[in-house]
PDB file of all heavy atoms in Angstrom:
ATOM      1  N   LEU A  83      97.215 104.792  26.706  1.00 55.00           N
ATOM      2  CA  LEU A  83      96.592 104.621  25.416  1.00 55.00           C
ATOM      3  C   LEU A  83      97.686 104.503  24.360  1.00 55.00           C
ATOM      4  O   LEU A  83      98.817 104.945  24.551  1.00 55.00           O
ATOM      5  CB  LEU A  83      95.694 105.821  25.105  1.00 55.00           C
ATOM      6  CG  LEU A  83      94.531 106.070  26.086  1.00 55.00           C
ATOM      7  CD1 LEU A  83      93.817 107.357  25.699  1.00 55.00           C
ATOM      8  CD2 LEU A  83      93.566 104.907  26.086  1.00 55.00           C
ATOM      9  N   ILE A  95     112.799 109.771  21.030  1.00 98.00           N
ATOM     10  CA  ILE A  95     113.626 109.855  19.816  1.00 98.00           C
ATOM     11  C   ILE A  95     114.084 111.288  19.575  1.00 98.00           C
ATOM     12  O   ILE A  95     115.273 111.538  19.313  1.00 98.00           O
ATOM     13  CB  ILE A  95     112.848 109.333  18.592  1.00 98.00           C
ATOM     14  CG1 ILE A  95     112.597 107.829  18.742  1.00 98.00           C
ATOM     15  CG2 ILE A  95     113.616 109.626  17.304  1.00 98.00           C
ATOM     16  CD1 ILE A  95     111.675 107.250  17.683  1.00 98.00           C
ATOM     17  N   VAL A  96     113.153 112.234  19.661  1.00 98.00           N
ATOM     18  CA  VAL A  96     113.495 113.638  19.427  1.00 98.00           C
ATOM     19  C   VAL A  96     114.526 114.121  20.449  1.00 98.00           C
ATOM     20  O   VAL A  96     115.497 114.801  20.097  1.00 98.00           O
ATOM     21  CB  VAL A  96     112.239 114.526  19.481  1.00 98.00           C
ATOM     22  CG1 VAL A  96     112.607 116.011  19.514  1.00 98.00           C
ATOM     23  CG2 VAL A  96     111.344 114.243  18.282  1.00 98.00           C
ATOM     24  N   LEU A  99     117.959 112.718  19.687  1.00 97.00           N
ATOM     25  CA  LEU A  99     118.584 113.376  18.531  1.00 97.00           C
ATOM     26  C   LEU A  99     119.057 114.785  18.879  1.00 97.00           C
ATOM     27  O   LEU A  99     120.085 115.247  18.365  1.00 97.00           O
ATOM     28  CB  LEU A  99     117.596 113.412  17.358  1.00 97.00           C
ATOM     29  CG  LEU A  99     117.239 112.044  16.758  1.00 97.00           C
ATOM     30  CD1 LEU A  99     116.183 112.201  15.671  1.00 97.00           C
ATOM     31  CD2 LEU A  99     118.483 111.361  16.198  1.00 97.00           C
ATOM     32  N   LEU A 107     132.351 118.866  19.168  1.00 90.00           N
ATOM     33  CA  LEU A 107     133.054 118.445  17.949  1.00 90.00           C
ATOM     34  C   LEU A 107     132.938 119.519  16.870  1.00 90.00           C
ATOM     35  O   LEU A 107     133.925 119.871  16.217  1.00 90.00           O
ATOM     36  CB  LEU A 107     132.457 117.123  17.457  1.00 90.00           C
ATOM     37  CG  LEU A 107     133.091 116.492  16.219  1.00 90.00           C
ATOM     38  CD1 LEU A 107     134.530 116.114  16.488  1.00 90.00           C
ATOM     39  CD2 LEU A 107     132.275 115.265  15.800  1.00 90.00           C
ATOM     40  N   ARG A 114     138.981 125.821  15.335  1.00 91.00           N
ATOM     41  CA  ARG A 114     140.413 125.486  15.361  1.00 91.00           C
ATOM     42  C   ARG A 114     140.814 124.456  14.317  1.00 91.00           C
ATOM     43  O   ARG A 114     142.000 124.167  14.173  1.00 91.00           O
ATOM     44  CB  ARG A 114     140.803 124.983  16.747  1.00 91.00           C
ATOM     45  CG  ARG A 114     140.544 125.973  17.869  1.00 91.00           C
ATOM     46  CD  ARG A 114     141.448 127.197  17.778  1.00 91.00           C
ATOM     47  NE  ARG A 114     141.137 128.142  18.837  1.00 91.00           N
ATOM     48  CZ  ARG A 114     141.640 128.074  20.059  1.00 91.00           C
ATOM     49  NH1 ARG A 114     142.477 127.101  20.366  1.00 91.00           N
ATOM     50  NH2 ARG A 114     141.314 128.962  20.964  1.00 91.00           N
ATOM     51  N   HIS A 121     142.183 114.461  21.060  1.00 87.00           N
ATOM     52  CA  HIS A 121     142.960 115.227  22.027  1.00 87.00           C
ATOM     53  C   HIS A 121     142.465 114.943  23.445  1.00 87.00           C
ATOM     54  O   HIS A 121     141.274 114.705  23.660  1.00 87.00           O
ATOM     55  CB  HIS A 121     142.856 116.725  21.738  1.00 87.00           C
ATOM     56  CG  HIS A 121     143.468 117.120  20.428  1.00 87.00           C
ATOM     57  ND1 HIS A 121     144.738 117.626  20.321  1.00 87.00           N
ATOM     58  CD2 HIS A 121     142.976 117.044  19.166  1.00 87.00           C
ATOM     59  CE1 HIS A 121     145.010 117.869  19.051  1.00 87.00           C
ATOM     60  NE2 HIS A 121     143.956 117.524  18.325  1.00 87.00           N
ATOM     61  N   GLY A 124     139.549 112.533  24.756  1.00 83.00           N
ATOM     62  CA  GLY A 124     138.774 112.086  23.608  1.00 83.00           C
ATOM     63  C   GLY A 124     137.307 112.441  23.701  1.00 83.00           C
ATOM     64  O   GLY A 124     136.543 112.211  22.762  1.00 83.00           O
ATOM     65  N   LEU A 201     126.699 118.133  32.361  1.00 95.00           N
ATOM     66  CA  LEU A 201     125.927 119.365  32.200  1.00 95.00           C
ATOM     67  C   LEU A 201     124.475 119.080  31.851  1.00 95.00           C
ATOM     68  O   LEU A 201     123.558 119.676  32.434  1.00 95.00           O
ATOM     69  CB  LEU A 201     126.561 120.244  31.114  1.00 95.00           C
ATOM     70  CG  LEU A 201     127.687 121.169  31.544  1.00 95.00           C
ATOM     71  CD1 LEU A 201     128.235 121.925  30.344  1.00 95.00           C
ATOM     72  CD2 LEU A 201     127.213 122.147  32.604  1.00 95.00           C
ATOM     73  N   ILE A 220     125.822 123.052  43.290  1.00 98.00           N
ATOM     74  CA  ILE A 220     126.645 123.691  44.326  1.00 98.00           C
ATOM     75  C   ILE A 220     127.729 122.741  44.812  1.00 98.00           C
ATOM     76  O   ILE A 220     128.890 123.137  45.003  1.00 98.00           O
ATOM     77  CB  ILE A 220     125.765 124.160  45.502  1.00 98.00           C
ATOM     78  CG1 ILE A 220     124.854 125.315  45.050  1.00 98.00           C
ATOM     79  CG2 ILE A 220     126.637 124.607  46.680  1.00 98.00           C
ATOM     80  CD1 ILE A 220     123.861 125.764  46.092  1.00 98.00           C
ATOM     81  N   VAL A 223     130.438 122.602  42.114  1.00 97.00           N
ATOM     82  CA  VAL A 223     131.206 123.848  42.027  1.00 97.00           C
ATOM     83  C   VAL A 223     132.161 123.994  43.209  1.00 97.00           C
ATOM     84  O   VAL A 223     133.327 124.359  43.043  1.00 97.00           O
ATOM     85  CB  VAL A 223     130.264 125.067  41.942  1.00 97.00           C
ATOM     86  CG1 VAL A 223     131.035 126.370  42.113  1.00 97.00           C
ATOM     87  CG2 VAL A 223     129.531 125.072  40.604  1.00 97.00           C
ATOM     88  N   ILE A 226     135.055 121.548  42.844  1.00 96.00           N
ATOM     89  CA  ILE A 226     135.991 122.012  41.816  1.00 96.00           C
ATOM     90  C   ILE A 226     136.805 123.198  42.324  1.00 96.00           C
ATOM     91  O   ILE A 226     138.020 123.291  42.090  1.00 96.00           O
ATOM     92  CB  ILE A 226     135.231 122.391  40.527  1.00 96.00           C
ATOM     93  CG1 ILE A 226     134.606 121.137  39.908  1.00 96.00           C
ATOM     94  CG2 ILE A 226     136.173 123.065  39.526  1.00 96.00           C
ATOM     95  CD1 ILE A 226     133.632 121.424  38.782  1.00 96.00           C
ATOM     96  N   ALA A 227     136.147 124.110  43.050  1.00 96.00           N
ATOM     97  CA  ALA A 227     136.843 125.289  43.582  1.00 96.00           C
ATOM     98  C   ALA A 227     137.938 124.902  44.563  1.00 96.00           C
ATOM     99  O   ALA A 227     139.009 125.510  44.586  1.00 96.00           O
ATOM    100  CB  ALA A 227     135.835 126.218  44.258  1.00 96.00           C
ATOM    101  N   ILE A 231     139.687 120.067  40.283  1.00 95.00           N
ATOM    102  CA  ILE A 231     139.543 118.889  39.425  1.00 95.00           C
ATOM    103  C   ILE A 231     138.070 118.777  39.009  1.00 95.00           C
ATOM    104  O   ILE A 231     137.198 118.512  39.838  1.00 95.00           O
ATOM    105  CB  ILE A 231     139.983 117.598  40.138  1.00 95.00           C
ATOM    106  CG1 ILE A 231     141.439 117.718  40.607  1.00 95.00           C
ATOM    107  CG2 ILE A 231     139.819 116.394  39.209  1.00 95.00           C
ATOM    108  CD1 ILE A 231     141.923 116.528  41.411  1.00 95.00           C
ATOM    109  N   SER A 233     136.455 116.572  37.067  1.00 94.00           N
ATOM    110  CA  SER A 233     135.851 115.246  37.153  1.00 94.00           C
ATOM    111  C   SER A 233     135.434 114.899  38.582  1.00 94.00           C
ATOM    112  O   SER A 233     134.387 114.288  38.802  1.00 94.00           O
ATOM    113  CB  SER A 233     136.816 114.175  36.623  1.00 94.00           C
ATOM    114  OG  SER A 233     138.007 114.165  37.381  1.00 94.00           O
ATOM    115  N   ALA A 243     123.357 114.578  44.180  1.00 97.00           N
ATOM    116  CA  ALA A 243     122.026 114.541  43.566  1.00 97.00           C
ATOM    117  C   ALA A 243     121.261 113.304  44.017  1.00 97.00           C
ATOM    118  O   ALA A 243     120.074 113.381  44.380  1.00 97.00           O
ATOM    119  CB  ALA A 243     122.161 114.558  42.043  1.00 97.00           C
ATOM    120  N   LEU A 244     121.938 112.157  43.999  1.00 96.00           N
ATOM    121  CA  LEU A 244     121.300 110.913  44.439  1.00 96.00           C
ATOM    122  C   LEU A 244     120.852 111.001  45.892  1.00 96.00           C
ATOM    123  O   LEU A 244     119.706 110.664  46.231  1.00 96.00           O
ATOM    124  CB  LEU A 244     122.284 109.750  44.283  1.00 96.00           C
ATOM    125  CG  LEU A 244     122.322 109.031  42.940  1.00 96.00           C
ATOM    126  CD1 LEU A 244     123.450 108.015  42.927  1.00 96.00           C
ATOM    127  CD2 LEU A 244     120.997 108.365  42.653  1.00 96.00           C
ATOM    128  N   THR A 245     121.743 111.464  46.735  1.00 97.00           N
ATOM    129  CA  THR A 245     121.427 111.579  48.159  1.00 97.00           C
ATOM    130  C   THR A 245     120.276 112.546  48.388  1.00 97.00           C
ATOM    131  O   THR A 245     119.346 112.261  49.165  1.00 97.00           O
ATOM    132  CB  THR A 245     122.669 112.073  48.938  1.00 97.00           C
ATOM    133  OG1 THR A 245     123.756 111.182  48.702  1.00 97.00           O
ATOM    134  CG2 THR A 245     122.374 112.140  50.427  1.00 97.00           C
ATOM    135  N   ILE A 253     110.989 112.177  52.614  1.00 96.00           N
ATOM    136  CA  ILE A 253     110.248 113.085  53.502  1.00 96.00           C
ATOM    137  C   ILE A 253     109.025 113.689  52.807  1.00 96.00           C
ATOM    138  O   ILE A 253     108.324 114.519  53.398  1.00 96.00           O
ATOM    139  CB  ILE A 253     111.153 114.203  54.045  1.00 96.00           C
ATOM    140  CG1 ILE A 253     111.626 115.123  52.922  1.00 96.00           C
ATOM    141  CG2 ILE A 253     112.324 113.618  54.820  1.00 96.00           C
ATOM    142  CD1 ILE A 253     112.411 116.324  53.394  1.00 96.00           C
ATOM    143  N   ASN A 258     107.324 113.097  42.752  1.00 97.00           N
ATOM    144  CA  ASN A 258     107.329 112.479  41.426  1.00 97.00           C
ATOM    145  C   ASN A 258     108.375 111.365  41.364  1.00 97.00           C
ATOM    146  O   ASN A 258     109.568 111.634  41.263  1.00 97.00           O
ATOM    147  CB  ASN A 258     107.624 113.528  40.354  1.00 97.00           C
ATOM    148  CG  ASN A 258     106.531 114.571  40.264  1.00 97.00           C
ATOM    149  OD1 ASN A 258     105.359 114.241  40.079  1.00 97.00           O
ATOM    150  ND2 ASN A 258     106.903 115.832  40.388  1.00 97.00           N
ATOM    151  N   ILE A 267     119.030 106.674  37.614  1.00 97.00           N
ATOM    152  CA  ILE A 267     119.607 106.107  36.396  1.00 97.00           C
ATOM    153  C   ILE A 267     120.626 107.063  35.782  1.00 97.00           C
ATOM    154  O   ILE A 267     121.733 106.661  35.390  1.00 97.00           O
ATOM    155  CB  ILE A 267     118.505 105.773  35.373  1.00 97.00           C
ATOM    156  CG1 ILE A 267     117.584 104.683  35.928  1.00 97.00           C
ATOM    157  CG2 ILE A 267     119.129 105.318  34.046  1.00 97.00           C
ATOM    158  CD1 ILE A 267     116.395 104.362  35.034  1.00 97.00           C
ATOM    159  N   LYS A 275     130.457 106.703  33.343  1.00 94.00           N
ATOM    160  CA  LYS A 275     131.240 107.303  32.262  1.00 94.00           C
ATOM    161  C   LYS A 275     132.508 107.966  32.788  1.00 94.00           C
ATOM    162  O   LYS A 275     133.400 108.295  32.016  1.00 94.00           O
ATOM    163  CB  LYS A 275     130.392 108.314  31.495  1.00 94.00           C
ATOM    164  CG  LYS A 275     129.365 107.691  30.574  1.00 94.00           C
ATOM    165  CD  LYS A 275     130.037 106.853  29.486  1.00 94.00           C
ATOM    166  CE  LYS A 275     130.872 107.680  28.546  1.00 94.00           C
ATOM    167  NZ  LYS A 275     131.510 106.888  27.476  1.00 94.00           N
ATOM    168  N   HIS A 276     132.582 108.166  34.088  1.00 94.00           N
ATOM    169  CA  HIS A 276     133.776 108.747  34.704  1.00 94.00           C
ATOM    170  C   HIS A 276     134.697 107.669  35.280  1.00 94.00           C
ATOM    171  O   HIS A 276     135.569 107.972  36.094  1.00 94.00           O
ATOM    172  CB  HIS A 276     133.372 109.728  35.818  1.00 94.00           C
ATOM    173  CG  HIS A 276     132.904 111.055  35.302  1.00 94.00           C
ATOM    174  ND1 HIS A 276     131.639 111.251  34.805  1.00 94.00           N
ATOM    175  CD2 HIS A 276     133.546 112.252  35.200  1.00 94.00           C
ATOM    176  CE1 HIS A 276     131.508 112.519  34.436  1.00 94.00           C
ATOM    177  NE2 HIS A 276     132.648 113.141  34.650  1.00 94.00           N
ATOM    178  N   ILE A 280     137.948 108.165  37.631  1.00 96.00           N
ATOM    179  CA  ILE A 280     138.038 107.624  38.992  1.00 96.00           C
ATOM    180  C   ILE A 280     139.364 106.890  39.178  1.00 96.00           C
ATOM    181  O   ILE A 280     140.021 107.027  40.218  1.00 96.00           O
ATOM    182  CB  ILE A 280     136.839 106.695  39.283  1.00 96.00           C
ATOM    183  CG1 ILE A 280     135.539 107.506  39.309  1.00 96.00           C
ATOM    184  CG2 ILE A 280     137.041 105.964  40.605  1.00 96.00           C
ATOM    185  CD1 ILE A 280     134.281 106.659  39.385  1.00 96.00           C
ATOM    186  N   ASN A 285     144.867 107.065  41.427  1.00 96.00           N
ATOM    187  CA  ASN A 285     146.311 107.051  41.179  1.00 96.00           C
ATOM    188  C   ASN A 285     146.942 108.439  41.292  1.00 96.00           C
ATOM    189  O   ASN A 285     148.163 108.581  41.088  1.00 96.00           O
ATOM    190  CB  ASN A 285     146.591 106.480  39.783  1.00 96.00           C
ATOM    191  CG  ASN A 285     146.210 105.025  39.659  1.00 96.00           C
ATOM    192  OD1 ASN A 285     146.312 104.271  40.631  1.00 96.00           O
ATOM    193  ND2 ASN A 285     145.764 104.617  38.489  1.00 96.00           N
ATOM    194  N   ILE A 291     142.504 121.804  36.743  1.00 84.00           N
ATOM    195  CA  ILE A 291     142.212 122.952  35.892  1.00 84.00           C
ATOM    196  C   ILE A 291     143.512 123.727  35.666  1.00 84.00           C
ATOM    197  O   ILE A 291     144.254 124.008  36.591  1.00 84.00           O
ATOM    198  CB  ILE A 291     141.168 123.875  36.546  1.00 84.00           C
ATOM    199  CG1 ILE A 291     139.815 123.151  36.639  1.00 84.00           C
ATOM    200  CG2 ILE A 291     141.008 125.176  35.763  1.00 84.00           C
ATOM    201  CD1 ILE A 291     138.759 123.945  37.350  1.00 84.00           C
TER     202      ILE A 291
END
Side-chain angles (χ1 to χ4, degrees):
L83 299 175
I95 293 172
V96 169
L99 293 176
L107 182 63
R114 301 293 178 85
H121 295 263
L201 274 178
I220 292 175
V223 169
I226 294 170
I231 302 176
S233 60
L244 272 174
T245 303
I253 65 174
N258 295 305
I267 296 175
K275 285 298 295 181
H276 282 79
I280 294 172
N285 294 327
I291 294 176

